[in-house]
Amino acid sequence: MNDMINNLLMLCDAPAIGSVDTAARLAKEKLSAFCPVHSLSGKSFYGYLDKGALHTVLIEAHIDEVGFVVTNVDENGFLTVSNCGGMDLRLLPATKVTVHAARSLPGVFISVPPHLSKGDEALSDICECKIDTGLGKEASSLIRPGDYVTFDAAAVCLGDGVVTGKALDDRACCAVLLDVAKRLCAVDCPVNVVLLMSDAEELGMRGAKTAAFALDFDEAVALDVSFADAPGVDSEHCGRLGDGVMIGHSPILDRAVTDRLCEKAKQNDIAHQHEIMNGSTGTDADVISLTKTGVPCGLLSVPLRNMHTPAETVDSRDMQSISDLLVAYLLAGGVK
């Protein structure tokens, strides 16, 4: 568990957006300790646990994060940005960021003091949210349109195994993949395992779509985060933090894979809960299942609070339950 939390903290603090690939390089280095690693397009890469089997299972998580791209630097040095991935404008004023320019630069979204506002103004366009780097006119010589911006929020441990920070969507599942690789690399397993960390999920699942097409596998399990309980959040539409892995049920997911995951969770007394979706899952499972002539695909998720914010929050016990379930599922031969 400590290794998984340490990997999570390391990966969350590193950026991975657009051409910025620090988190991907760190994860790739970590994964290479357990198996051969190969690069794909963009920041996507995969490790391969060759067990000499006839059946191959793909396990996937995405390495990219939500953030921003600079669209303008005005004459006073204030930055206008557009979002990369879904973003709630309400959280941006007074939020600290890092601008990935010629060098990394600190910045902050400007906030209008309550003394100078009526208190009821609502932001309707991200172009209204300006970033201040404190550089004034010098900003235009260091920052250019097209540079990327990420939240500046170090991941920290809260009480009882809970972690908060930026990019836990989906670094939590990348840390799970590393744990699975470590646990399976030196043991007999009846299936080969492809461990894929894909790029650009937040931009339309582009990395998983192209990576899945490039790889050969017989079935897949996608890993992502989903909504967790919190005050003001409808309990019917979320999981419970600390209650274990969320097993996805959806018409686009393979029923046999889903049933097998549920069976292994029960047999091994692994804490789990069920997530019911009436159509697409909003995860990379949607595109992986459609690759080539179609591939049986399941979905496992970590409950997460404060999605797409600098304070995303997960319980490491839920991450451990996903790792435990995947190991049990793979050692049982997957769905074959």
Side-chain angles (χ1 to χ4, degrees), residues 37-282:
V37 177
H38 309 275
S39 297
L40 295 165
S41 61
K43 295 189 294 291
S44 299
F45 63 92
Y46 70 97
Y48 187 64
L49 292 173
D50 185 354
K51 300 299 183 177
L54 297 177
H55 192 79
T56 300
V57 182
L58 171 75
I59 308 297
E60 183 270 347
H62 70 87
I63 192 70
D64 62 306
E65 65 191 277
V66 297
F68 312 89
V69 61
V70 177
T71 59
N72 184 63
V73 183
D74 72 18
E75 64 275 11
N76 295 311
F78 296 113
L79 313 183
T80 305
V81 296
S82 185
N83 53 301
C84 300
M87 201 69 65
D88 186 345
L89 300 187
R90 296 174 301 174
L91 67 89
L92 297 185
T95 296
K96 294 190 293 183
V97 296
T98 299
V99 182
H100 302 280
R103 66 175 189 268
S104 294
L105 300 166
V108 62
F109 277 101
I110 290 172
S111 173
V112 178
H115 318 71
L116 303 178
S117 69
K118 297 178 181 178
D120 58 356
E121 292 90 346
L123 294 170
S124 59
D125 190 330
I126 195 169
C127 292
E128 301 172 21
C129 307
K130 306 299 182 182
I131 293 176
D132 182 11
T133 63
L135 294 170
K137 295 180 179 180
E138 185 187 357
S140 60
S141 66
L142 297 173
I143 304 166
R144 61 183 181 179
D147 286 338
Y148 293 98
V149 179
T150 55
F151 291 125
D152 176 10
V156 297
C157 292
L158 303 177
D160 202 18
V162 174
V163 177
T164 187
K166 73 171 185 68
L168 275 80
D169 175 8
D170 191 25
R171 307 284 163 73
C173 291
C174 291
V176 168
L177 280 191
L178 293 175
D179 192 60
V180 171
K182 178 182 177 181
R183 296 171 68 179
L184 291 182
C185 67
V187 302
D188 290 333
C189 184
V191 296
N192 307 314
V193 184
V194 177
L195 300 147
L196 171 64
M197 296 194 197
S198 67
D199 185 23
E201 189 271 350
E202 302 294 359
L203 301 177
M205 310 171 199
R206 298 169 60 88
K209 185 180 295 186
T210 55
F213 187 85
L215 299 171
D216 291 321
F217 55 97
D218 301 293
E219 60 169 293
V221 180
L223 311 182
D224 211 326
V225 299
S226 191
F227 308 112
D229 60 327
V233 178
D234 188 345
S235 61
E236 290 189 7
H237 299 125
C238 65
R240 294 174 300 278
L241 206 72
D243 274 13
V245 51
M246 298 172 71
I247 301 176
H249 299 257
S250 167
I252 71 106
L253 298 173
D254 186 81
R255 182 61 180 265
V257 174
T258 301
D259 287 349
R260 184 76 161 158
L261 289 166
C262 292
E263 174 190 321
K264 289 298 149 189
K266 292 176 183 176
Q267 287 179 352
N268 292 276
D269 198 25
I270 297 169
H272 64 285
Q273 48 195 315
H274 301 282
E275 181 177 21
I276 313 302
M277 293 155 281
N278 63 0
S280 63
T281 68

Side-chain angles (χ1 to χ4, degrees), residues 4-36:
M4 190 154 57
I5 292 177
N6 289 336
N7 284 335
L8 177 61
L9 296 175
M10 174 196 69
L11 292 176
C12 286
D13 286 350
I17 180 174
S19 58
V20 180
D21 65 350
T22 309
R25 287 189 282 109
L26 288 172
K28 193 173 182 180
E29 180 182 351
K30 284 284 186 179
L31 185 58
S32 66
F34 310 119
C35 58

